[in-house]
């Protein structure tokens, strides 16, 4: 696949370039370590957009299908698009396990859209738009939203819950200690594939969308506040699900890192059980 241009717009990192190692080795960890999207996401979109089982959905950067499979019953046909082969493998496995049969998985860079995929009633981007050449993708998707279609950006943090001191059934995962351990192995600058993100991922999404001719945004907030219990294995998988701590980044020190990570977790909770409150999820709707 062609090399990606620099991320542009807002306060994004000017030197980051996408590469195929961004989430290398993370697919199976992602499916285990990320907290699922709540049913309220599907219910809210169904009510707001009057989804009735007709039309098509395109989920861009679908990963292991977490959002794709939740929304699939609201549409006649669905395309889950991702550039990572392992993510699509895991998504296909999840579809078979859950009996969802109306999804086609497409290995493709978002920058290659429209790629002859046709028009869609809804196009979703869940925790993915910031990795893309956003002006290019926004322009490409706009004509794909035929007949009153809607772009939905799903803003979520599913690898960890909200910080707090309120009592929970089990200790919260020691996220600060985990971050310090990752920095000790990989350095203080956030890693991302073969590159780094010293300034974080791109901002200025609204300006990108307005410049591409979209109208909005219309914001909806769902979920949040639910207590979820998590095992030590799930917290470990959550760490390896991140681009900044993907398994390949540790190279031959991966077993050593995981051993230290588990010791940090057992110090926080000797029984290996944790609890967190889920974060709110923001649904941002744009219309062409």
């Amino acid at each position: 696949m062609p090399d990606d241009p620099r991320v542009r717009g807002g306060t994004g990192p000017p030197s980051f370039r996408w590469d195929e190692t961004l989430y290398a080795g993370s697919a199976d960890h992602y499916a285990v370590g990320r907290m699922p999207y709540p049913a309220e996401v599907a219910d809210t979109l169904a009510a707001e957009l009057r989804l009735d089982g007709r039309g098509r959905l395109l989920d861009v950067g679908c990963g292991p299908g977490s959002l794709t499979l939740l929304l699939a019953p609201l549409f006649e046909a669905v395309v889950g698009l991702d550039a990572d082969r392992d993510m699509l493998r895991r998504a296909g496995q999840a579809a078979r396990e859950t009996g969802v049969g109306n999804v086609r998985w497409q290995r493709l860079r978002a920058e290659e859209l429209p790629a002859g995929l046709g028009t869609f009633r809804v196009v979703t981007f869940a925790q993915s738009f910031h990795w893309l050449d956003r002006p290019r993708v926004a322009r490409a998707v706009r004509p794909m939203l035929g007949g009153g279609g809607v772009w939905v950006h799903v803003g979520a943090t599913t690898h960890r819950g909200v910080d707090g001191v309120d009592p929970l059934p089990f200790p919260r995962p020691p996220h600060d200690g985990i971050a310090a351990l990752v920095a000790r192995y990989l350095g203080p600058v956030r890693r991302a594939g073969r590159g780094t993100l010293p300034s974080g991922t791109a901002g200025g999404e609204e300006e990108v969308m307005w410049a591409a001719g979209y109208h909005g945004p219309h914001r909806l907030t769902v979920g949040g506040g639910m207590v979820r219990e998590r095992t030590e294995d799930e917290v470990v998988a959550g760490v390896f699900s991140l681009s900044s701590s993907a398994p390949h980044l540790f190279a031959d020190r991966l077993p050593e890192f995981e051993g230290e990570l588990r010791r940090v977790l057992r110090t926080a909770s000797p029984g290996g059980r944790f609890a967190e409150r889920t974060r709110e999820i923001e649904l941002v709707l744009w219309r062409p």
Side-chain angles (χ1 to χ4, degrees), residues 49-128:
L49 303 179
R50 300 181 181 179
L51 303 177
D52 53 7
R54 293 181 292 177
R56 303 169 71 217
L57 165 70
L58 173 63
D59 186 17
V60 181
C62 65
S66 309
L67 181 69
T68 325
L69 298 177
L70 176 65
L71 300 183
L74 303 176
F75 297 89
E76 179 181 354
V78 177
V79 177
L81 184 149
D82 204 284
D84 189 298
R85 189 187 306 275
D86 282 343
M87 289 288 187
L88 294 180
R89 170 190 56 77
R90 189 63 182 83
Q93 179 183 335
R96 291 189 294 273
E97 291 171 350
T98 55
V100 177
N102 66 334
V103 182
R104 174 166 66 93
W105 306 104
Q106 180 81 41
R107 185 170 181 244
L108 197 72
R109 290 289 309 286
E111 288 78 5
E112 297 176 83
L113 291 171
L117 294 179
T119 59
F120 295 86
R121 189 171 183 180
V122 176
V123 176
T124 52
F125 292 78
Q127 305 181 68
S128 61

Side-chain angles (χ1 to χ4, degrees), residues 157-173:
T157 301
T158 53
H159 70 280
R160 61 178 291 178
V162 296
D163 296 328
V165 295
D166 55 308
L168 296 178
F170 300 100
R172 287 176 167 82

